[in-house]
Amino acid sequence: MHPELTLVHDQPLVSLNTFRIPARARHYLRIAGAGELAAVRADPQLSRLPRLVLGGGSNLLFTRDFDGLVLHMAGQGREIVGEQDGKVLVRAQAGENWHGFVRYTLEQGLGGLENLSLIPGTVGAAPIQNVGAYGTETKDVFHSLTAYDMASGELRTLDGAACRFAYRDSIFKHPEGRELVVLDVTFALPAAWQPNLRYAELAQAARDAGLAHPSPREVGGLVEAIRRRKLPDPAEIGNAGSFFKNPVVTGEHCARLLAQFPNLVHHAQPDGSEKLAAGWLIDQCGWKGRSMGAAGVYPKQALVLVNLGGASGAEVARLAAAIQADVQARYGVLLEPEPVFI
Ligand code: EPU
């Protein structure tokens, strides 16, 4: 094996996934950069193993041990790399903690990432599912990324179009992107910043705080306060954020549901479809605060499933399936999980 690689066998993953599921990996490597990925690719044994690229482990549900090679992305570093078309370009390595990076940009006086404050996970994971919150998605502030192609051994630079961003989706979740391992991400932050207060709850929080012209740091503070109020801190209670995506239905389906459920929360999409609030649907089915074994529905936000202590991944998956069945029966909508099931 390549001298750069320190392979670990039977690695516990409980502290490497925010759901705190006690799974194990048969093989495990910390990856600081492209050199180690090239070494994995060149190794006849390692290159044949099933691979799991792990960032902060905040969007994963282990339903079993992982019988393959975990590549734990650990590259550190962040820097302002230049300016282009009125935007400041800031780059961070994949293993950087996301919120730490957001804070760093705010401390440099740069706005743009403040609405994405306090999202668990790493910089490298942000483009994978185009993380978004409070009216901003990764794609809105994205410039480009560097990925190592495990198939060809080449370094590739992908711009936003190449990443094919969509709601909680990108090329990296599809077969064409499966061989690409994100090494660093560059964001384009506006030199002339304007707050994005389109999300009603955030606008209200700004008014309540008497902030007519908030700074990026002040908006970040408001977002942190909203998240702390509604979402469980993974350091205290195991979870992976929203467990389901907000489902998109046709305009006709939404109209039929509205006739029966006038309070239905829905947001019209540009193409005439309607996005429903999965949290509302689950809440209305009576699941908020309920549990099955050691897996529960968070009492303050029904879209978040939690590990009440010692839950297995299978237990969480059973709770998720029971919720899906109820929502399907009542609303005719199939909720799609947001975390990746292993
Ligand atoms: N609602 C309920 N009951 C609940 C939860 C929500 O009735 O238990 C209703 C709310 O009253 C509101 C609507 O559902 O009318 C939407 O709720 P909320 O504003 O809390 O946002 P969400 O749609 O549940 C999404 C993202 C979150 C993100 C927030 C804020 C998804 C899957 N989730 O949640 O992202 O922080 O908006 O932008 O898109 C994540 O992906 O892990 C995540 C936390």
Side-chain angles (χ1 to χ4, degrees), residues 58-59 115 119-120 129 131-136 167-168 199 201 226-227 230-231 239-246 265-267 275-284 288 297-304 338:
S58 56
N59 198 45
N115 290 28
I119 293 179
Q129 59 158 359
V131 297
Y134 307 102
T136 300
Y167 169 61
R168 297 295 191 268
Y199 200 84
E201 201 177 352
I226 295 175
R227 290 189 74 98
K230 294 175 70 166
L231 298 167
N239 76 92
S242 299
F243 196 88
F244 298 103
K245 295 183 195 176
N246 284 329
V265 180
H266 63 104
H267 300 283
K275 192 184 269 187
L276 307 182
W280 187 89
L281 300 172
I282 297 166
D283 195 351
Q284 295 294 307
K288 201 171 188 164
V297 180
Y298 193 57
K300 296 183 203 163
Q301 166 46 297
L303 195 48
V304 178
E338 193 183 317

Side-chain angles (χ1 to χ4, degrees), residues 6 12 39-40 44 95-96 99 120 124 169 196 212 227 278 280 293 312 330 338:
T6 315
V40 169
E96 283 284 340
H99 183 61
D169 198 22
N196 171 4
R227 290 189 74 98
W280 187 89
S312 68
R330 193 172 156 109
E338 193 183 317

Side-chain angles (χ1 to χ4, degrees), residues 12 15 21 23 42 48 72 94 119 129 138 142 150 153 169 173 176 212 225 290 314:
S15 60
I21 303 295
R48 273 206 298 273
H72 189 187
I119 293 179
Q129 59 158 359
T138 302
F142 181 87
M150 296 297 291
D169 198 22
K173 288 184 138 186
E176 313 86 271
R290 276 177 63 191

Side-chain angles (χ1 to χ4, degrees), residues 141-159:
V141 278
F142 181 87
H143 178 268
S144 59
L145 60 75
T146 311
Y148 182 81
D149 187 337
M150 296 297 291
S152 68
E154 284 162 14
L155 280 178
R156 287 179 51 186
T157 302
L158 279 76
D159 63 9

Side-chain angles (χ1 to χ4, degrees), residues 105-124:
T105 60
L106 295 175
E107 279 156 18
Q108 307 302 308
L110 295 169
L113 298 181
E114 59 285 343
N115 290 28
L116 304 177
S117 292
L118 221 56
I119 293 179
T122 55
V123 166

